[in-house]
Short mmCIF file of all heavy atoms in Angstrom, two decimals:
data_model
loop_
_atom_site.label_atom_id
_atom_site.label_comp_id
_atom_site.label_asym_id
_atom_site.label_seq_id
_atom_site.Cartn_x
_atom_site.Cartn_y
_atom_site.Cartn_z
N MET A 5 0.82 -1.22 0.00
CA MET A 5 -0.01 -0.01 0.00
C MET A 5 0.84 1.25 0.01
O MET A 5 0.39 2.34 0.29
CB MET A 5 -0.92 0.03 1.23
CG MET A 5 -1.99 -1.05 1.17
SD MET A 5 -3.19 -0.81 -0.14
CE MET A 5 -4.20 0.53 0.53
N ASN A 6 2.14 1.10 -0.33
CA ASN A 6 2.99 2.28 -0.35
C ASN A 6 3.02 2.93 -1.75
O ASN A 6 3.59 3.98 -1.91
CB ASN A 6 4.40 1.94 0.08
CG ASN A 6 4.52 1.58 1.53
OD1 ASN A 6 3.76 2.15 2.34
ND2 ASN A 6 5.34 0.66 1.88
N ASP A 7 2.39 2.32 -2.71
CA ASP A 7 2.35 2.90 -4.03
C ASP A 7 1.19 3.90 -4.14
O ASP A 7 0.02 3.49 -4.08
CB ASP A 7 2.15 1.77 -5.05
CG ASP A 7 2.26 2.29 -6.49
OD1 ASP A 7 2.23 3.52 -6.66
OD2 ASP A 7 2.43 1.45 -7.38
N PRO A 8 1.48 5.15 -4.26
CA PRO A 8 0.39 6.18 -4.29
C PRO A 8 -0.51 6.05 -5.47
O PRO A 8 -1.65 6.52 -5.45
CB PRO A 8 1.17 7.51 -4.31
CG PRO A 8 2.53 7.18 -4.86
CD PRO A 8 2.76 5.72 -4.38
N THR A 9 -0.05 5.40 -6.58
CA THR A 9 -0.95 5.29 -7.73
C THR A 9 -2.01 4.24 -7.51
O THR A 9 -3.03 4.24 -8.14
CB THR A 9 -0.10 4.89 -9.00
OG1 THR A 9 0.56 3.66 -8.72
CG2 THR A 9 0.90 5.93 -9.37
N LEU A 10 -1.77 3.39 -6.49
CA LEU A 10 -2.79 2.37 -6.14
C LEU A 10 -3.78 3.01 -5.15
O LEU A 10 -4.96 2.67 -5.22
CB LEU A 10 -2.13 1.17 -5.52
CG LEU A 10 -1.25 0.35 -6.47
CD1 LEU A 10 -0.67 -0.84 -5.69
CD2 LEU A 10 -2.05 -0.20 -7.67
N ILE A 11 -3.30 3.90 -4.30
CA ILE A 11 -4.17 4.48 -3.33
C ILE A 11 -4.99 5.58 -4.01
O ILE A 11 -6.18 5.72 -3.77
CB ILE A 11 -3.32 5.13 -2.19
CG1 ILE A 11 -2.47 4.03 -1.52
CG2 ILE A 11 -4.24 5.79 -1.18
CD1 ILE A 11 -1.43 4.61 -0.55
N GLY A 12 -4.32 6.36 -4.88
CA GLY A 12 -5.00 7.45 -5.55
C GLY A 12 -5.08 8.71 -4.71
O GLY A 12 -4.86 8.66 -3.52
N PRO A 13 -5.31 9.80 -5.40
CA PRO A 13 -5.41 11.10 -4.69
C PRO A 13 -6.78 11.22 -4.06
O PRO A 13 -7.66 10.36 -4.25
CB PRO A 13 -5.22 12.11 -5.83
CG PRO A 13 -5.84 11.43 -7.01
CD PRO A 13 -5.55 9.95 -6.81
N CYS A 14 -7.03 12.35 -3.39
CA CYS A 14 -8.34 12.60 -2.84
C CYS A 14 -9.32 12.66 -4.01
O CYS A 14 -9.02 13.25 -5.05
CB CYS A 14 -8.35 13.94 -2.11
SG CYS A 14 -7.22 13.98 -0.72
N ALA A 15 -10.50 12.05 -3.85
CA ALA A 15 -11.44 11.96 -4.99
C ALA A 15 -11.85 13.35 -5.49
O ALA A 15 -12.02 13.53 -6.68
CB ALA A 15 -12.70 11.18 -4.53
N ASP A 16 -11.96 14.28 -4.57
CA ASP A 16 -12.36 15.64 -4.99
C ASP A 16 -11.36 16.37 -5.83
O ASP A 16 -11.60 17.36 -6.48
CB ASP A 16 -12.63 16.49 -3.73
CG ASP A 16 -13.91 16.04 -3.02
OD1 ASP A 16 -14.69 15.25 -3.61
OD2 ASP A 16 -14.17 16.50 -1.87
N TYR A 17 -10.10 15.87 -5.82
CA TYR A 17 -9.02 16.59 -6.47
C TYR A 17 -8.46 15.81 -7.66
O TYR A 17 -7.63 16.33 -8.39
CB TYR A 17 -7.91 16.89 -5.51
CG TYR A 17 -8.24 17.96 -4.55
CD1 TYR A 17 -8.81 17.70 -3.31
CD2 TYR A 17 -7.98 19.32 -4.85
CE1 TYR A 17 -9.16 18.71 -2.41
CE2 TYR A 17 -8.35 20.33 -4.02
CZ TYR A 17 -8.92 20.03 -2.78
OH TYR A 17 -9.23 21.01 -1.92
N GLU A 18 -8.88 14.56 -7.84
CA GLU A 18 -8.25 13.73 -8.91
C GLU A 18 -8.28 14.40 -10.26
O GLU A 18 -7.27 14.53 -10.95
CB GLU A 18 -8.91 12.39 -8.93
CG GLU A 18 -8.24 11.47 -9.99
CD GLU A 18 -8.68 10.02 -9.90
OE1 GLU A 18 -9.54 9.70 -9.04
OE2 GLU A 18 -8.17 9.20 -10.64
N HIS A 19 -9.47 14.83 -10.69
CA HIS A 19 -9.61 15.45 -12.05
C HIS A 19 -8.87 16.78 -12.07
O HIS A 19 -8.30 17.14 -13.12
CB HIS A 19 -11.03 15.59 -12.40
CG HIS A 19 -11.74 14.28 -12.66
ND1 HIS A 19 -12.73 13.80 -11.85
CD2 HIS A 19 -11.52 13.31 -13.60
CE1 HIS A 19 -13.13 12.61 -12.33
NE2 HIS A 19 -12.41 12.30 -13.33
N ASP A 20 -8.89 17.51 -10.94
CA ASP A 20 -8.21 18.78 -10.90
C ASP A 20 -6.69 18.58 -11.10
O ASP A 20 -6.05 19.40 -11.73
CB ASP A 20 -8.47 19.49 -9.60
CG ASP A 20 -9.89 20.06 -9.55
OD1 ASP A 20 -10.49 20.31 -10.64
OD2 ASP A 20 -10.37 20.22 -8.42
N LEU A 21 -6.19 17.51 -10.50
CA LEU A 21 -4.73 17.25 -10.57
C LEU A 21 -4.37 16.93 -12.03
O LEU A 21 -3.31 17.36 -12.51
CB LEU A 21 -4.35 16.07 -9.67
CG LEU A 21 -4.44 16.36 -8.18
CD1 LEU A 21 -4.25 15.05 -7.38
CD2 LEU A 21 -3.41 17.37 -7.77
N VAL A 22 -5.19 16.18 -12.71
CA VAL A 22 -4.93 15.91 -14.12
C VAL A 22 -4.95 17.17 -14.97
O VAL A 22 -4.08 17.38 -15.79
CB VAL A 22 -5.96 14.86 -14.67
CG1 VAL A 22 -5.75 14.65 -16.14
CG2 VAL A 22 -5.84 13.56 -13.88
N ASP A 23 -5.99 18.01 -14.69
CA ASP A 23 -6.10 19.27 -15.45
C ASP A 23 -4.93 20.20 -15.16
O ASP A 23 -4.41 20.90 -16.01
CB ASP A 23 -7.42 19.97 -15.11
CG ASP A 23 -8.63 19.26 -15.75
OD1 ASP A 23 -8.40 18.42 -16.64
OD2 ASP A 23 -9.73 19.62 -15.37
N LEU A 24 -4.53 20.20 -13.88
CA LEU A 24 -3.38 21.01 -13.47
C LEU A 24 -2.13 20.55 -14.22
O LEU A 24 -1.35 21.34 -14.76
CB LEU A 24 -3.12 20.87 -11.98
CG LEU A 24 -1.98 21.69 -11.40
CD1 LEU A 24 -2.30 23.20 -11.44
CD2 LEU A 24 -1.71 21.27 -9.94
N HIS A 25 -1.97 19.23 -14.31
CA HIS A 25 -0.83 18.66 -15.04
C HIS A 25 -0.88 19.01 -16.49
O HIS A 25 0.11 19.32 -17.11
CB HIS A 25 -0.86 17.16 -14.88
CG HIS A 25 0.22 16.42 -15.67
ND1 HIS A 25 1.54 16.46 -15.38
CD2 HIS A 25 0.09 15.76 -16.84
CE1 HIS A 25 2.18 15.81 -16.31
NE2 HIS A 25 1.37 15.39 -17.19
N ASP A 26 -2.05 19.01 -17.06
CA ASP A 26 -2.27 19.33 -18.52
C ASP A 26 -2.17 20.84 -18.79
O ASP A 26 -2.11 21.27 -19.94
CB ASP A 26 -3.60 18.78 -19.02
CG ASP A 26 -3.60 17.28 -19.07
OD1 ASP A 26 -2.48 16.68 -19.05
OD2 ASP A 26 -4.71 16.69 -19.16
N GLY A 27 -2.27 21.63 -17.67
CA GLY A 27 -2.27 23.07 -17.86
C GLY A 27 -3.60 23.66 -18.27
O GLY A 27 -3.64 24.76 -18.77
N THR A 28 -4.65 22.91 -18.10
CA THR A 28 -5.97 23.35 -18.50
C THR A 28 -6.82 23.79 -17.32
O THR A 28 -8.01 24.17 -17.51
CB THR A 28 -6.71 22.23 -19.26
OG1 THR A 28 -6.81 21.10 -18.43
CG2 THR A 28 -6.02 21.84 -20.55
N LEU A 29 -6.26 23.73 -16.13
CA LEU A 29 -7.04 24.10 -14.95
C LEU A 29 -7.15 25.62 -14.79
O LEU A 29 -6.12 26.30 -14.95
CB LEU A 29 -6.40 23.48 -13.69
CG LEU A 29 -7.27 23.41 -12.43
CD1 LEU A 29 -8.41 22.49 -12.64
CD2 LEU A 29 -6.45 22.99 -11.25
N PRO A 30 -8.34 26.18 -14.61
CA PRO A 30 -8.48 27.63 -14.43
C PRO A 30 -7.59 28.10 -13.26
O PRO A 30 -7.50 27.40 -12.24
CB PRO A 30 -9.96 27.81 -14.10
CG PRO A 30 -10.62 26.62 -14.67
CD PRO A 30 -9.61 25.50 -14.55
N PRO A 31 -6.94 29.25 -13.43
CA PRO A 31 -6.02 29.77 -12.43
C PRO A 31 -6.62 29.79 -10.99
O PRO A 31 -5.93 29.47 -10.02
CB PRO A 31 -5.68 31.19 -12.91
CG PRO A 31 -5.86 31.08 -14.37
CD PRO A 31 -6.99 30.16 -14.59
N ALA A 32 -7.90 30.21 -10.90
CA ALA A 32 -8.52 30.29 -9.55
C ALA A 32 -8.57 28.90 -8.90
O ALA A 32 -8.27 28.75 -7.74
CB ALA A 32 -9.93 30.86 -9.67
N ARG A 33 -8.90 27.89 -9.68
CA ARG A 33 -8.97 26.55 -9.18
C ARG A 33 -7.57 25.98 -8.95
O ARG A 33 -7.35 25.28 -7.97
CB ARG A 33 -9.72 25.67 -10.19
CG ARG A 33 -9.95 24.25 -9.68
CD ARG A 33 -10.83 24.17 -8.45
NE ARG A 33 -10.87 22.81 -7.94
CZ ARG A 33 -11.34 22.45 -6.77
NH1 ARG A 33 -11.91 23.35 -5.99
NH2 ARG A 33 -11.33 21.17 -6.36
N ALA A 34 -6.63 26.37 -9.83
CA ALA A 34 -5.27 25.88 -9.64
C ALA A 34 -4.67 26.35 -8.30
O ALA A 34 -3.95 25.61 -7.66
CB ALA A 34 -4.39 26.41 -10.77
N GLY A 35 -5.04 27.55 -7.87
CA GLY A 35 -4.56 28.03 -6.60
C GLY A 35 -5.06 27.17 -5.42
O GLY A 35 -4.33 26.91 -4.48
N ILE A 36 -6.34 26.75 -5.57
CA ILE A 36 -6.95 25.93 -4.50
C ILE A 36 -6.24 24.57 -4.46
O ILE A 36 -5.90 24.04 -3.44
CB ILE A 36 -8.40 25.74 -4.80
CG1 ILE A 36 -9.14 27.09 -4.65
CG2 ILE A 36 -9.05 24.72 -3.83
CD1 ILE A 36 -10.62 27.09 -5.09
N VAL A 37 -5.97 24.03 -5.66
CA VAL A 37 -5.34 22.73 -5.75
C VAL A 37 -3.91 22.80 -5.25
O VAL A 37 -3.46 21.88 -4.54
CB VAL A 37 -5.39 22.21 -7.21
CG1 VAL A 37 -4.62 20.89 -7.33
CG2 VAL A 37 -6.85 21.98 -7.67
N HIS A 38 -3.22 23.86 -5.62
CA HIS A 38 -1.82 24.02 -5.11
C HIS A 38 -1.82 24.11 -3.58
O HIS A 38 -0.96 23.57 -2.89
CB HIS A 38 -1.17 25.29 -5.72
CG HIS A 38 -0.55 25.06 -7.03
ND1 HIS A 38 0.54 24.21 -7.21
CD2 HIS A 38 -0.79 25.51 -8.29
CE1 HIS A 38 0.90 24.18 -8.48
NE2 HIS A 38 0.10 24.98 -9.13
N ASP A 39 -2.81 24.79 -3.07
CA ASP A 39 -2.93 24.92 -1.60
C ASP A 39 -3.14 23.54 -0.98
O ASP A 39 -2.55 23.22 0.02
CB ASP A 39 -4.10 25.87 -1.25
CG ASP A 39 -4.10 26.24 0.23
OD1 ASP A 39 -3.04 26.69 0.74
OD2 ASP A 39 -5.12 26.06 0.85
N HIS A 40 -3.97 22.74 -1.60
CA HIS A 40 -4.24 21.42 -1.11
C HIS A 40 -2.97 20.56 -1.20
O HIS A 40 -2.67 19.79 -0.27
CB HIS A 40 -5.38 20.80 -1.91
CG HIS A 40 -5.70 19.36 -1.53
ND1 HIS A 40 -6.36 19.01 -0.36
CD2 HIS A 40 -5.35 18.22 -2.14
CE1 HIS A 40 -6.43 17.70 -0.29
NE2 HIS A 40 -5.85 17.17 -1.34
N LEU A 41 -2.26 20.66 -2.32
CA LEU A 41 -1.06 19.90 -2.49
C LEU A 41 -0.03 20.21 -1.42
O LEU A 41 0.80 19.37 -1.05
CB LEU A 41 -0.43 20.17 -3.86
CG LEU A 41 -1.10 19.44 -5.06
CD1 LEU A 41 -0.59 20.07 -6.37
CD2 LEU A 41 -0.81 17.95 -5.02
N GLY A 42 -0.11 21.42 -0.90
CA GLY A 42 0.85 21.88 0.10
C GLY A 42 0.74 21.15 1.41
O GLY A 42 1.67 21.06 2.18
N HIS A 43 -0.43 20.56 1.65
CA HIS A 43 -0.58 19.80 2.90
C HIS A 43 -1.18 18.43 2.71
O HIS A 43 -1.59 17.80 3.70
CB HIS A 43 -1.45 20.66 3.91
CG HIS A 43 -2.84 20.97 3.37
ND1 HIS A 43 -3.81 20.07 3.44
CD2 HIS A 43 -3.31 22.11 2.84
CE1 HIS A 43 -4.94 20.64 2.88
NE2 HIS A 43 -4.62 21.86 2.51
N CYS A 44 -1.23 17.94 1.48
CA CYS A 44 -1.70 16.60 1.25
C CYS A 44 -0.63 15.72 0.57
O CYS A 44 -0.44 15.85 -0.62
CB CYS A 44 -2.98 16.62 0.40
SG CYS A 44 -3.69 14.99 0.16
N ALA A 45 0.02 14.91 1.36
CA ALA A 45 1.15 14.08 0.85
C ALA A 45 0.60 13.09 -0.13
O ALA A 45 1.30 12.70 -1.13
CB ALA A 45 1.85 13.39 2.00
N ARG A 46 -0.63 12.65 0.03
CA ARG A 46 -1.22 11.66 -0.85
C ARG A 46 -1.39 12.19 -2.27
O ARG A 46 -0.99 11.56 -3.27
CB ARG A 46 -2.58 11.25 -0.27
CG ARG A 46 -3.14 9.98 -0.90
CD ARG A 46 -4.32 9.48 -0.10
NE ARG A 46 -5.53 9.57 -0.89
CZ ARG A 46 -6.74 9.19 -0.49
NH1 ARG A 46 -6.90 8.76 0.76
NH2 ARG A 46 -7.77 9.26 -1.27
N CYS A 47 -1.92 13.39 -2.41
CA CYS A 47 -2.05 14.02 -3.73
C CYS A 47 -0.69 14.40 -4.29
O CYS A 47 -0.48 14.26 -5.51
CB CYS A 47 -2.97 15.24 -3.64
SG CYS A 47 -4.69 14.87 -3.43
N GLN A 48 0.21 14.86 -3.49
CA GLN A 48 1.56 15.14 -3.94
C GLN A 48 2.21 13.90 -4.55
O GLN A 48 2.75 13.98 -5.66
CB GLN A 48 2.44 15.57 -2.77
CG GLN A 48 2.43 17.03 -2.44
CD GLN A 48 3.29 17.37 -1.26
OE1 GLN A 48 4.34 16.78 -1.05
NE2 GLN A 48 2.83 18.25 -0.41
N SER A 49 2.15 12.82 -3.86
CA SER A 49 2.74 11.54 -4.30
C SER A 49 2.11 11.10 -5.62
O SER A 49 2.76 10.64 -6.54
CB SER A 49 2.65 10.49 -3.24
OG SER A 49 3.29 10.87 -2.10
N TRP A 50 0.77 11.20 -5.63
CA TRP A 50 0.06 10.74 -6.81
C TRP A 50 0.43 11.58 -8.00
O TRP A 50 0.65 11.07 -9.14
CB TRP A 50 -1.47 10.79 -6.55
CG TRP A 50 -2.22 10.20 -7.70
CD1 TRP A 50 -2.52 8.88 -7.91
CD2 TRP A 50 -2.76 10.88 -8.82
NE1 TRP A 50 -3.21 8.74 -9.05
CE2 TRP A 50 -3.39 9.92 -9.67
CE3 TRP A 50 -2.79 12.23 -9.23
CZ2 TRP A 50 -3.99 10.26 -10.87
CZ3 TRP A 50 -3.38 12.55 -10.45
CH2 TRP A 50 -4.00 11.61 -11.25
N LEU A 51 0.50 12.91 -7.86
CA LEU A 51 0.81 13.80 -8.97
C LEU A 51 2.25 13.53 -9.48
O LEU A 51 2.51 13.51 -10.65
CB LEU A 51 0.69 15.25 -8.54
CG LEU A 51 0.88 16.27 -9.63
CD1 LEU A 51 -0.13 16.09 -10.72
CD2 LEU A 51 0.76 17.66 -9.11
N THR A 52 3.13 13.22 -8.54
CA THR A 52 4.54 12.85 -8.92
C THR A 52 4.56 11.61 -9.74
O THR A 52 5.18 11.55 -10.82
CB THR A 52 5.41 12.68 -7.65
OG1 THR A 52 5.40 13.90 -6.92
CG2 THR A 52 6.80 12.31 -8.05
N GLU A 53 3.80 10.60 -9.30
CA GLU A 53 3.73 9.32 -10.02
C GLU A 53 3.04 9.52 -11.40
O GLU A 53 3.48 8.97 -12.40
CB GLU A 53 2.95 8.30 -9.21
CG GLU A 53 3.71 7.77 -8.02
CD GLU A 53 4.95 6.95 -8.44
OE1 GLU A 53 4.80 6.19 -9.38
OE2 GLU A 53 6.00 7.17 -7.85
N PHE A 54 2.00 10.32 -11.39
CA PHE A 54 1.24 10.55 -12.62
C PHE A 54 2.10 11.25 -13.64
O PHE A 54 2.10 10.92 -14.83
CB PHE A 54 0.03 11.39 -12.32
CG PHE A 54 -0.84 11.70 -13.57
CD1 PHE A 54 -1.71 10.76 -14.01
CD2 PHE A 54 -0.74 12.91 -14.20
CE1 PHE A 54 -2.47 11.03 -15.16
CE2 PHE A 54 -1.49 13.20 -15.32
CZ PHE A 54 -2.34 12.27 -15.82
N THR A 55 2.86 12.28 -13.19
CA THR A 55 3.81 12.96 -14.09
C THR A 55 4.84 12.05 -14.65
O THR A 55 5.14 12.10 -15.83
CB THR A 55 4.48 14.16 -13.28
OG1 THR A 55 3.46 15.01 -12.79
CG2 THR A 55 5.38 14.88 -14.23
N ALA A 56 5.41 11.18 -13.80
CA ALA A 56 6.42 10.21 -14.26
C ALA A 56 5.84 9.27 -15.31
O ALA A 56 6.44 8.93 -16.28
CB ALA A 56 6.94 9.50 -13.09
N LEU A 57 4.63 8.80 -15.03
CA LEU A 57 3.93 7.89 -15.95
C LEU A 57 3.64 8.59 -17.26
O LEU A 57 3.85 8.00 -18.31
CB LEU A 57 2.63 7.41 -15.32
CG LEU A 57 1.84 6.40 -16.15
CD1 LEU A 57 2.56 5.09 -16.22
CD2 LEU A 57 0.45 6.20 -15.48
N ASP A 58 3.22 9.81 -17.15
CA ASP A 58 2.87 10.58 -18.37
C ASP A 58 4.09 10.81 -19.24
O ASP A 58 4.03 10.74 -20.48
CB ASP A 58 2.24 11.93 -17.98
CG ASP A 58 1.60 12.59 -19.15
OD1 ASP A 58 0.68 12.03 -19.74
OD2 ASP A 58 2.02 13.74 -19.50
N VAL A 59 5.22 11.07 -18.61
CA VAL A 59 6.49 11.23 -19.34
C VAL A 59 6.89 10.00 -20.04
O VAL A 59 7.30 9.98 -21.21
CB VAL A 59 7.62 11.68 -18.39
CG1 VAL A 59 8.99 11.58 -19.07
CG2 VAL A 59 7.38 13.11 -17.89
N ARG A 60 6.67 8.80 -19.33
CA ARG A 60 7.00 7.54 -19.98
C ARG A 60 6.10 7.30 -21.20
O ARG A 60 6.52 6.87 -22.29
CB ARG A 60 6.84 6.39 -19.00
CG ARG A 60 8.00 6.35 -18.00
CD ARG A 60 8.12 4.98 -17.36
NE ARG A 60 6.98 4.63 -16.55
CZ ARG A 60 6.86 4.91 -15.27
NH1 ARG A 60 7.82 5.54 -14.61
NH2 ARG A 60 5.78 4.57 -14.60
N LEU A 61 4.81 7.57 -21.04
CA LEU A 61 3.84 7.36 -22.12
C LEU A 61 4.18 8.25 -23.27
O LEU A 61 4.14 7.85 -24.44
CB LEU A 61 2.45 7.61 -21.62
CG LEU A 61 1.89 6.56 -20.69
CD1 LEU A 61 0.49 6.99 -20.20
CD2 LEU A 61 1.75 5.19 -21.36
N ALA A 62 4.52 9.51 -22.99
CA ALA A 62 4.81 10.50 -24.04
C ALA A 62 6.06 10.06 -24.78
O ALA A 62 6.15 10.28 -26.01
CB ALA A 62 5.03 11.90 -23.43
N GLY A 63 6.99 9.43 -24.10
CA GLY A 63 8.21 8.95 -24.70
C GLY A 63 7.95 7.78 -25.66
O GLY A 63 8.66 7.62 -26.65
N GLU A 64 6.91 7.05 -25.40
CA GLU A 64 6.61 5.85 -26.19
C GLU A 64 5.65 6.17 -27.33
O GLU A 64 5.61 5.45 -28.32
CB GLU A 64 6.05 4.76 -25.31
CG GLU A 64 7.05 4.18 -24.33
CD GLU A 64 6.45 3.21 -23.37
OE1 GLU A 64 5.27 2.81 -23.58
OE2 GLU A 64 7.11 2.80 -22.40
N LEU A 65 4.86 7.19 -27.13
CA LEU A 65 3.79 7.50 -28.14
C LEU A 65 4.31 7.73 -29.54
O LEU A 65 3.69 7.20 -30.46
CB LEU A 65 3.03 8.73 -27.62
CG LEU A 65 1.66 8.96 -28.29
CD1 LEU A 65 0.74 7.75 -28.15
CD2 LEU A 65 0.96 10.16 -27.71
N PRO A 66 5.34 8.58 -29.73
CA PRO A 66 5.83 8.84 -31.11
C PRO A 66 6.14 7.55 -31.88
O PRO A 66 5.86 7.45 -33.07
CB PRO A 66 7.13 9.69 -30.90
CG PRO A 66 6.86 10.35 -29.57
CD PRO A 66 6.11 9.28 -28.73
N ARG A 67 6.73 6.59 -31.19
CA ARG A 67 7.07 5.35 -31.86
C ARG A 67 5.84 4.58 -32.32
O ARG A 67 5.78 3.98 -33.37
CB ARG A 67 7.91 4.47 -30.94
CG ARG A 67 9.41 4.73 -31.05
CD ARG A 67 10.18 3.92 -30.06
NE ARG A 67 10.00 4.38 -28.69
CZ ARG A 67 10.37 3.75 -27.61
NH1 ARG A 67 10.90 2.57 -27.70
NH2 ARG A 67 10.18 4.28 -26.43
N VAL A 68 4.79 4.63 -31.48
CA VAL A 68 3.52 3.98 -31.82
C VAL A 68 2.90 4.66 -33.05
O VAL A 68 2.44 4.03 -33.99
CB VAL A 68 2.55 4.04 -30.63
CG1 VAL A 68 1.15 3.50 -31.04
CG2 VAL A 68 3.12 3.26 -29.44
N LEU A 69 2.92 5.98 -33.05
CA LEU A 69 2.35 6.76 -34.16
C LEU A 69 3.09 6.48 -35.45
O LEU A 69 2.52 6.31 -36.53
CB LEU A 69 2.38 8.22 -33.86
CG LEU A 69 1.37 8.68 -32.76
CD1 LEU A 69 1.60 10.15 -32.44
CD2 LEU A 69 -0.09 8.47 -33.20
N VAL A 70 4.42 6.39 -35.37
CA VAL A 70 5.24 6.19 -36.53
C VAL A 70 4.99 4.81 -37.13
O VAL A 70 4.80 4.66 -38.34
CB VAL A 70 6.77 6.34 -36.22
CG1 VAL A 70 7.62 5.80 -37.34
CG2 VAL A 70 7.09 7.79 -35.94
N SER A 71 4.91 3.78 -36.23
CA SER A 71 4.74 2.42 -36.73
C SER A 71 3.34 2.28 -37.35
O SER A 71 3.14 1.51 -38.30
CB SER A 71 4.96 1.42 -35.60
OG SER A 71 4.01 1.62 -34.60
N SER A 72 2.31 2.97 -36.82
CA SER A 72 0.95 2.77 -37.35
C SER A 72 0.72 3.59 -38.58
O SER A 72 -0.13 3.32 -39.35
CB SER A 72 -0.07 3.19 -36.21
OG SER A 72 0.06 4.57 -35.95
N ALA A 73 1.56 4.61 -38.78
CA ALA A 73 1.37 5.51 -39.93
C ALA A 73 2.06 4.96 -41.17
O ALA A 73 1.77 5.28 -42.30
CB ALA A 73 1.94 6.89 -39.63
N SER A 74 3.05 4.05 -40.94
CA SER A 74 3.85 3.55 -42.08
C SER A 74 3.29 2.29 -42.73
O SER A 74 2.24 1.80 -42.37
CB SER A 74 5.29 3.29 -41.66
OG SER A 74 5.28 2.36 -40.58
ZN1 ZN B 59 -5.39 15.27 -1.30
#
């Protein structure tokens, strides 16, 4: 149970964390989420894991697109 991706972030913030990561979260809401991240280790850990996972997926995506396009 030490893997934050299995535990997940707070339900109220999960979608906000994804939007924050994507840069699509409204600034007013982003401030609230950042404030929450400041005192919620669970959401912090989840966002870190999510970002790492997203980077890995982004690194693999171009190869998938190239192979399917050819
Ligand atoms: Zn939280």
Side-chain angles (χ1 to χ4, degrees):
M5 292 294 283
N6 290 327
D7 187 346
T9 58
L10 294 179
I11 302 168
C14 300
D16 288 349
Y17 287 92
E18 182 169 3
H19 291 114
D20 287 336
L21 291 171
V22 174
D23 287 348
L24 181 69
H25 173 74
D26 290 344
T28 58
L29 197 65
R33 183 63 188 171
I36 295 172
V37 175
H38 273 296
D39 189 53
H40 177 75
L41 281 168
H43 59 80
C44 182
R46 195 168 113 178
C47 286
Q48 272 178 37
S49 298
W50 186 86
L51 186 59
T52 300
E53 287 294 317
F54 180 80
T55 301
L57 181 68
D58 193 58
V59 167
R60 285 202 294 272
L61 288 176
E64 292 174 10
L65 195 58
R67 271 176 288 166
V68 173
L69 289 173
V70 167
S71 62
S72 64
S74 58

